[in-house]
Amino acid sequence: MSRHNSVDLDSPDRPFDNIINFRDVGRSVNQFCNKEILKEGVFFRSARLDDASERDKRRLAEELHIHTVIDLRSQTEHRMGTRKRRSENAKANPSQKSPSPTGSLPSNPAEHLLEIPGSKRALISLTGKGFERALISKLDWPTYLKTIGLITTGYRSEAVRLVCGTVMQPRGLTGLAQDTLDSSMSEIRAVFQLLACEETYPTIVHCTQGKDRTGLVVLLVLLLVGNVVPVEAIVEDYSRSEMELVSEFEERMEEIRALGLGEDYTRCPPGFVRDTTEYLETRYGGVKGYLESVGVGFEMQERIRAKFLV
């Protein structure tokens, strides 16, 4: 179903039919500051693109000229996306076989992904193997054995739900961001290596909701740009996601519950930007020190800064 509101159809901020939480990061910061600080039309963020309409697809390709899509979702989320697509197709075509309810990986786990003409896709799970190992290391022994048993018998989704409910839920979104910074260094390096390449742009980064993992990447980028971006502008851009996602609250709650998480995972914690920034300063000496530690050196950092600064 398409979404409509009263925004001028010629405005850069007009809504998409079926893509939510979408915005030009540079434009978002510039509007908040009421002056041109960052380049616009180069770096976008959103929730998942899977349900984009044909008109949405044309706009991404022909108007915004998206060259790279950085998808931060996990294998479990891609599996859920493929099953959802197959279920929708089965309803539209009753003769089509329904998706299997088991935890096995679909034969084509990428069939739900949007194809944008002229663009390339980078699948970089920000909660990949290192992150999974970090979570599992926090389990007590009985829960660890149960988790391993579920994984080895093909019930990966159930294992994910158990680990998320046991470890991620108590850690909260800010704790999750800190865990991601510590355990997903190779994935963050891969994201920033892409952002250091001229041919990557214009680019869009997204996860499922486009809120927390996407928000963490955007936070790192805006901190790297430097003091020209006020912290209030970063907070505003991050917090905006909560309002942007209201239209799909029930659907998001269903997905979040399926991962063993609670309603607080739909929100934008007010201290997320401040606490994450302080964590970077305390543990790594700031964003530049952090990026150095993951393998994004000074030269790459400067190329990224140059791409964003006016």
Side-chain angles (χ1 to χ4, degrees):
M1 180 180 294
S2 295
R3 297 177 176 83
H4 303 283
N5 65 22
S6 59
V7 176
D8 184 349
L9 292 181
D10 291 326
S11 165
D13 296 321
R14 69 188 185 279
F16 284 84
D17 291 333
N18 293 320
I19 301 173
I20 62 173
N21 203 17
F22 183 98
R23 54 193 172 275
D24 179 331
V25 174
R27 183 175 175 82
S28 176
V29 169
N30 292 346
Q31 286 183 328
F32 179 85
C33 297
N34 200 28
K35 61 180 177 179
E36 191 176 10
I37 294 174
L38 302 181
K39 294 175 184 174
E40 299 182 9
V42 296
F43 188 56
F44 303 89
R45 60 179 295 175
S46 77
R48 60 176 170 233
L49 306 177
D50 302 356
D51 299 324
S53 67
E54 286 301 315
R55 183 166 61 176
D56 292 339
K57 189 187 301 186
R58 287 195 302 272
R59 184 175 167 200
L60 290 169
E62 299 171 11
E63 180 182 329
L64 301 179
H65 308 290
I66 297 298
H67 190 273
T68 308
V69 177
I70 302 175
D71 186 333
L72 304 175
R73 290 179 292 178
S74 67
Q75 186 182 71
T76 298
E77 289 168 295
H78 285 299
R79 183 187 300 111
M80 291 168 63
T82 291
R83 291 211 181 104
K84 177 183 175 185
R85 176 61 52 83
R86 289 182 178 181
S87 178
E88 291 170 349
N89 291 342
K91 288 178 182 178
N93 181 9
S95 63
Q96 181 174 317
K97 187 177 180 180
S98 297
S100 168
T102 68
S104 59
L105 193 65
S107 58
N108 181 11
E111 66 187 64
H112 64 293
L113 297 174
L114 176 70
E115 295 291 342
I116 303 173
S119 75
K120 63 180 181 180
R121 179 188 299 115
L123 300 179
I124 305 173
S125 173
L126 217 57
T127 50
K129 296 297 183 183
F131 182 84
E132 290 176 359
R133 286 193 295 269
L135 291 187
I136 289 174
S137 71
K138 298 178 189 294
L139 296 173
D140 59 38
W141 189 243
T143 308
Y144 171 80
L145 291 176
K146 185 175 181 180
T147 300
I148 297 301
L150 287 169
I151 292 173
T152 56
T153 53
Y155 291 92
R156 181 180 173 82
S157 295
E158 288 76 3
V160 168
R161 186 158 55 246
L162 176 61
V163 173
C164 288
T166 304
V167 180
M168 284 177 61
Q169 181 62 36
R171 291 285 288 151
L173 287 166
T174 302
L176 174 64
Q178 295 172 2
D179 293 341
T180 304
L181 289 169
D182 292 342
S183 61
S184 299
M185 290 184 168
S186 61
E187 290 83 2
I188 291 174
R189 178 174 65 249
V191 170
F192 277 80
Q193 284 174 336
L194 274 174
L195 295 179
C197 297
E198 178 68 27
E199 59 269 23
T200 294
Y201 299 92
T203 190
I204 179 171
V205 59
H206 77 89
C207 48
T208 293
Q209 300 180 36
K211 181 169 71 72
D212 300 300
R213 285 163 293 181
T214 300
L216 180 60
V217 168
V218 172
L219 169 62
L220 291 172
V221 168
L222 293 180
L223 289 175
L224 178 61
V225 169
N227 294 334
V228 295
V229 181
V231 65
E232 294 83 5
I234 303 175
V235 172
E236 168 67 19
D237 182 70
Y238 173 70
S239 303
R240 183 173 164 182
S241 290
E242 190 167 320
M243 176 188 67
E244 295 280 348
L245 291 164
V246 166
S247 63
E248 285 194 351
F249 178 78
E250 291 303 327
E251 182 178 350
R252 288 187 295 120
M253 275 306 305
E254 183 177 337
E255 294 171 346
I256 286 170
R257 289 191 193 102
L259 292 172
L261 301 171
E263 185 174 329
D264 51 325
Y265 268 73
T266 68
R267 307 195 186 285
C268 294
F272 179 87
V273 170
R274 180 193 67 246
D275 293 344
T276 306
T277 302
E278 287 181 358
Y279 185 78
L280 285 165
E281 290 289 344
T282 302
R283 189 171 179 86
Y284 297 100
V287 67
K288 293 182 179 180
Y290 174 76
L291 291 174
E292 284 276 2
S293 72
V294 306
V296 180
F298 176 78
E299 184 180 340
M300 276 197 286
Q301 291 183 30
E302 287 302 301
R303 288 207 299 269
I304 295 169
R305 280 170 46 81
K307 190 63 189 179
F308 285 84
L309 289 170
V310 172

